[in-house]
Amino acid sequence: MTAIAGFGDMVTRNLRQSGIFVAFVIIVLMFSLMNSNFLSPGNLTNIVLQYSYILILAIGMVMVIVLGQIDLSVGSVVALTGAVAGVLVIRHGAPWWIGVLAALLVGVLVGMWQGFWVAYVGIPGFIVTLAGMLLFRGMTYRVLDNVSLSPFGGTYYDIANGFSTNGWFGGYGVDVFTLVIFAVAVAGYAVSQWRTRRGRIAYQQVVESMPIFVGKIVAVAVVVMWFGYQLAQYRGLPNVLILLAVLILAYSVVTQRSVFGRHVYAIGGNLNAAQLSGVKVRVVTFWTYVNMGLLAGVAGVVFSSRMNGAQPSAGNMFELDAIAAAFIGGASTTGGVGRVTGAMTGALIMAVMSNGMQLMGVPQSIQQMVKGLVLLLAVAFDVWNKRRADAR
């Protein structure tokens, strides 16, 4: 017989995931009360455009961390891939898609290089990627000859700065296309949650009561449609948000429903047990780093498009933001725990804090201190939660 859990039981059972969502809501409410412009359509669009590359990096970083490894080189890879695209498109006049493909190829090659040393030579990921951080930053300076290149313009510029819209509707100033896309997304989420619930009931697993289930769907629908309405009032649906949605959906499926994703969790959870179970640890580790390199290439394209140029200093400290997003989003320092949705929430917390403090005129030094404290508290919460689970 299927067990029905109440609200308190569900929160306690999923404390790591539920806690981060509650923290995100509190932070958003706090900044919205402090600054009336925080939740304005223009500022919400700016948050999406300005921090999209961190969210992309966080998707790959959470998989690396779940594996029990780390990648300190992604900021340098973002700079290198953007530099390659800049040289081809700006300096040599190549079509925009050639620059994109070249950047992605460089990202994959970087991932293969680092994956080889970690998976097949056995050097810890910390050391390999620390070396990569220096190596690829130096290569960026060589590729760009220590100078910045700009502008990209055209279609390449629109990757991170363009909008998909069908024009304004009537006299209300609302883009219908944006609202339709968000409505479809809400409907898809509701169907997915219903199918998941039915599957758990079929296997006699614990599910939330029907009122809680419906309330969760309604709450998500209200928040998502409100967010879509805000974007629809400004310039419509950002192209980069479409890219993010595709990546989040794809990697949620990969991590939760694919054999490869289960093997990543198995290796991070218990390496010896995974080896005894027949998991090809070296192969999975290698392709996890290749995937991280690919996503760093995507982030490099998005960042260079957003900046409308390639700079030798691009991507500075991006690796720390991506790592912080994964840990704040619930990833465990020992591996085996973490979700793409949690990493996205963690990245949004970092983005919201940065944007909110900038609107309030908080000095950069204070912003760095606040981010450091938030990361420390997130890891402390993970340690406390693990001890609580062990005690139970």
Side-chain angles (χ1 to χ4, degrees):
M1 182 176 179
T2 303
I4 305 297
F7 180 77
D9 293 334
M10 295 302 299
V11 170
T12 303
R13 186 182 300 274
N14 302 282
L15 186 59
R16 180 183 277 109
Q17 288 79 21
S18 59
I20 192 62
F21 288 117
V22 172
F24 176 65
V25 171
I26 292 174
I27 291 173
V28 169
L29 291 176
M30 179 183 68
F31 281 117
S32 63
L33 292 174
M34 292 181 178
N35 193 305
S36 59
N37 293 323
F38 179 74
L39 295 179
S40 65
N43 191 58
L44 290 176
T45 301
N46 182 59
I47 291 175
V48 173
L49 298 178
Q50 191 171 350
Y51 299 99
S52 55
Y53 34 87
I54 300 299
L55 273 73
I56 294 172
L57 290 174
I59 295 174
M61 188 63 71
V62 73
M63 295 181 66
V64 173
I65 291 174
V66 167
L67 188 71
Q69 296 286 351
I70 200 72
D71 192 337
L72 300 176
S73 68
V74 293
S76 297
V77 179
V78 166
L80 177 60
T81 53
V84 170
V87 168
L88 290 175
V89 177
I90 299 174
R91 183 174 292 171
H92 297 291
W96 69 271
W97 57 269
I98 293 293
V100 171
L101 290 178
L104 298 182
L105 177 60
V106 169
V108 169
L109 291 176
V110 166
M112 294 174 68
W113 166 265
Q114 300 195 130
F116 167 77
W117 290 103
V118 176
Y120 295 103
V121 180
I123 302 176
F126 179 89
I127 301 299
V128 172
T129 58
L130 179 61
M133 179 175 66
L134 303 174
L135 173 64
F136 303 129
R137 181 64 65 179
M139 291 176 66
T140 302
Y141 282 104
R142 295 288 295 178
V143 169
L144 292 176
D145 292 329
N146 293 334
V147 297
S148 299
L149 297 178
S150 64
F152 280 103
T155 305
Y156 194 100
Y157 175 80
D158 288 336
I159 292 174
N161 296 281
F163 294 81
S164 297
T165 175
N166 69 337
W168 304 114
F169 173 71
Y172 296 99
V174 177
D175 183 62
V176 177
F177 176 78
T178 301
L179 294 179
V180 169
I181 293 298
F182 273 84
V184 171
V186 168
Y189 172 77
V191 171
S192 174
Q193 291 297 306
W194 176 252
R195 293 180 61 181
T196 300
R197 177 183 172 84
R198 291 184 61 184
R200 289 176 177 174
I201 292 175
Y203 286 97
Q204 297 185 350
Q205 297 178 352
V206 177
V207 296
E208 64 268 41
S209 63
M210 183 56 71
I212 294 177
F213 175 78
V214 174
K216 180 180 69 174
I217 299 297
V218 171
V220 170
V222 169
V223 172
V224 170
M225 291 307 300
W226 172 85
F227 178 65
Y229 180 74
Q230 298 301 311
L231 296 183
Q233 290 185 86
Y234 188 59
R235 297 180 61 186
L237 185 63
N239 292 335
V240 73
L241 186 59
I242 299 176
L243 173 62
L244 269 173
V246 171
L247 291 175
I248 292 171
L249 288 174
Y251 279 93
S252 294
V253 172
V254 168
T255 55
Q256 300 298 318
R257 299 180 183 272
S258 71
V259 173
F260 177 80
R262 288 193 291 269
H263 285 176
V264 170
Y265 280 93
I267 294 171
N270 192 320
L271 176 60
N272 293 329
Q275 290 174 327
L276 293 174
S277 300
V279 175
K280 298 179 180 179
V281 174
R282 290 181 176 179
V283 174
V284 174
T285 301
F286 175 80
W287 285 109
T288 301
Y289 273 97
V290 172
N291 174 72
M292 184 70 258
L294 173 63
L295 288 176
V298 175
V301 170
V302 171
F303 182 74
S304 58
S305 171
R306 174 64 177 165
M307 297 294 104
N308 199 22
Q311 301 93 19
S313 60
N316 187 33
M317 302 295 286
F318 280 12
E319 57 276 349
L320 299 186
D321 285 335
I323 292 170
F327 283 133
I328 292 172
S332 174
T333 55
T334 56
V337 176
R339 288 178 177 268
V340 170
T341 52
M344 293 300 94
T345 306
L348 286 174
I349 287 178
M350 298 291 289
V352 164
M353 287 195 307
S354 297
N355 179 266
M357 288 188 290
Q358 288 171 8
L359 289 178
M360 295 172 59
V362 177
Q364 189 67 29
S365 58
I366 302 298
Q367 293 186 35
Q368 296 297 325
M369 293 168 62
V370 171
K371 290 181 181 179
L373 288 174
V374 170
L375 175 60
L376 182 63
L377 291 175
V379 176
F381 176 77
D382 173 65
V383 173
W384 171 81
N385 196 45
K386 192 174 299 180
R387 290 176 178 172
R388 182 184 63 88
D390 291 340
R392 291 180 63 184

